[in-house]
Amino acid sequence: MVNTLKKLSVVAALSMAFATSAFANSYVIGTNFNEDVYVAPTAGYFEKSYTIDLTQAGTVSYSFTEIENAFLNINFLNAGLFNSSSNPVSGILSSGIYTLLVTGKTVGVAGGSYNLNFTVAAAPVPEAQTNAMMMLGLAAIGFVAYRRKNMA
């Protein structure tokens, strides 16, 4: 019985350790995320994911910076935005689930740290007045061209 409890506690501790190495929260349109993220020294190569749920067309812009000092250091820090088929994406995105994935390798004695900043915004939609003004301008150009043709 005691042996079984010891085994269960070891399994539980290991599963918790692996569960903390990758986490996923869901972010929606209107999110402005800016956070310093700490990675434990035992992580070695790490991967952290941020799930972005777009209910309408939108954009995701992101930047990341390593926070380096005498004790914290990360090599190979990289980030990318992927669709549900794990293909890299950018620009104006259609509605769906996307993943912002940050990877790297901790080499500092106290682990590593980085700053992640991303914004989820709705895609810009041209207003009706903009289209009306554009069509009015094209009509004016057409009228001028028609008049010049008839005057010649």
Side-chain angles (χ1 to χ4, degrees):
M1 176 77 175
V2 173
N3 231 1
T4 305
L5 287 176
K6 284 182 183 178
K7 288 179 185 177
L8 282 174
S9 64
V10 168
V11 168
L14 286 174
S15 65
M16 287 178 64
F18 288 120
T20 58
S21 64
F23 65 90
N25 291 321
S26 186
Y27 302 95
V28 295
I29 288 181
T31 298
N32 290 314
F33 181 90
N34 186 3
E35 184 176 284
D36 291 340
V37 181
Y38 170 74
V39 182
T42 56
Y45 285 99
F46 69 91
E47 147 178 317
K48 296 202 180 216
S49 62
Y50 303 84
T51 302
I52 299 165
D53 185 4
L54 292 180
T55 56
Q56 65 186 51
T59 60
V60 177
S61 58
Y62 62 91
S63 65
F64 56 95
T65 308
E66 179 184 352
I67 300 172
E68 188 175 344
N69 61 36
F71 302 103
L72 299 173
N73 195 3
I74 295 177
N75 284 347
F76 313 116
L77 184 62
N78 196 7
L81 185 63
F82 300 92
N83 63 14
S84 57
S85 301
S86 299
N87 297 320
V89 295
S90 63
I92 296 178
L93 308 171
S94 60
S95 61
I97 304 290
Y98 297 89
T99 302
L100 180 60
L101 186 64
V102 179
T103 60
K105 180 182 180 186
T106 57
V107 292
V109 294
S113 188
Y114 63 91
N115 175 269
L116 176 65
N117 182 5
F118 69 84
T119 302
V120 182
V125 177
E127 296 183 19
Q129 297 94 339
T130 304
N131 290 335
M133 289 298 289
M134 184 174 66
M135 291 177 73
L136 187 61
L138 289 173
I141 291 171
F143 177 73
V144 168
Y146 171 76
R147 190 162 175 192
R148 280 189 182 174
K149 183 179 170 187
N150 286 341
M151 292 180 79

